[in-house]
Amino acid sequence: MGKVKIKKNDIWIDMTPMSDVMVLLLTFFMLTSTFVKNDPVKVLTPGSVSEIKVPEKDVLNVHVAKDGKVFMTIDNTNDLVSMVDAMAGKFGVSLTGTQMETLKKHSMLGVSMDKLTAYLSLPEDQMSEAIQKEGIPTDSIDDGTGKKDKSEFQLWVSEARNVNENIKIAIKADQDTPYSAIKTVMSELQDMSENRYYLITSLKTEED
């Protein structure tokens, strides 16, 4: 008896719907993702068992490096521009469009106002090293009458509050930062009646 030959049919699968889904997913993640910017000042936070999370938006981050220098970042670029415009007006500083674009790209505030234009005019490959030598001044400013006005740090915080009344303050200090440096930042905030803020730490288990 002869063998029965089974006719082979080519199987064709329409991949168009899958391609459409892949493109839609890729577009969704690209539009909703928040890209983490590379901070020029590295802060290694101490460990903690606290599980209270810092909000993901409307946050003014205060970075305190191990040498006590203070820096700031803010997640909202529009708020950053408004803050810088207000501070530039107070100190009589003029920024070009190119300098403002550079500021938005690097996002970290970390030099005194009298050095801001020079810093933003540096080549990009020199900015990271330059900012680490500076820091936002926390010393009170002489208003010309012998009285002490707010420090530049306090003025930045005030402008952040002016542009966004719902902004939250988070302090991120290096694990080797002296307590006196952190206390200075806290005292500056308390003098402004800013008594609510987050302290950012690295989460660890109680066993660790």
Side-chain angles (χ1 to χ4, degrees):
M1 181 175 177
K3 294 183 178 179
V4 178
K5 293 184 178 180
I6 301 176
K7 185 178 180 180
K8 295 182 179 180
N9 295 323
D10 293 334
I11 299 176
W12 180 80
I13 301 176
D14 185 3
M15 299 295 291
T16 304
M18 182 176 291
S19 300
D20 293 340
V21 171
M22 292 291 290
V23 172
L24 287 172
L25 287 174
L26 180 60
T27 303
F28 170 78
F29 287 118
M30 288 180 65
L31 294 176
T32 58
S33 297
T34 301
F35 295 96
V36 178
K37 294 183 178 180
N38 184 28
D39 292 335
V41 179
K42 303 297 181 183
V43 175
L44 183 61
T45 54
S48 171
V49 296
S50 174
E51 296 185 2
I52 299 176
K53 294 184 178 180
V54 178
E56 295 183 358
K57 64 178 182 177
D58 296 332
V59 179
L60 176 67
N61 289 294
V62 180
H63 304 254
V64 188
K66 62 178 65 178
D67 57 2
K69 291 184 173 65
V70 177
F71 308 87
M72 288 182 181
T73 56
I74 190 167
D75 63 299
N76 190 311
T77 304
N78 293 329
D79 288 350
L80 174 65
V81 171
S82 297
M83 288 170 57
V84 173
D85 284 341
M87 286 292 287
K90 287 180 181 294
F91 287 83
V93 175
S94 298
L95 297 178
T96 65
T98 301
Q99 290 171 334
M100 189 63 76
E101 288 300 319
T102 300
L103 179 66
K104 290 192 289 185
K105 182 177 180 180
H106 288 267
S107 75
M108 178 166 279
L109 303 168
V111 299
S112 58
M113 287 301 299
D114 61 336
K115 297 180 180 180
L116 184 60
T117 54
Y119 166 69
L120 294 176
S121 299
L122 290 173
E124 289 196 18
D125 58 350
Q126 297 180 20
M127 295 182 69
S128 178
E129 181 180 355
I131 196 174
Q132 296 181 47
K133 300 176 182 178
E134 299 297 333
I136 298 174
T138 55
D139 298 327
S140 298
I141 302 171
D142 193 333
D143 63 0
T145 64
K147 297 180 180 179
K148 294 297 183 179
D149 201 350
K150 290 181 178 179
S151 66
E152 285 191 29
F153 170 78
Q154 290 176 322
L155 291 174
W156 279 114
V157 175
S158 294
E159 294 304 334
R161 182 66 68 194
N162 289 339
V163 300
N164 186 349
E165 62 180 9
N166 296 318
I167 202 165
K168 286 83 174 176
I169 300 173
I171 301 175
K172 184 178 182 180
D174 192 275
Q175 62 183 7
D176 295 325
T177 300
Y179 175 73
S180 58
I182 303 173
K183 177 63 176 176
T184 297
V185 173
M186 291 180 175
S187 297
E188 292 273 292
L189 293 173
Q190 289 173 352
D191 289 345
M192 305 170 61
S193 299
E194 292 284 357
N195 298 312
R196 296 178 63 87
Y197 44 81
Y198 296 87
L199 289 174
I200 300 177
T201 57
S202 299
L203 185 62
K204 68 177 183 179
T205 64
E206 293 185 0
E207 288 78 7
D208 292 339

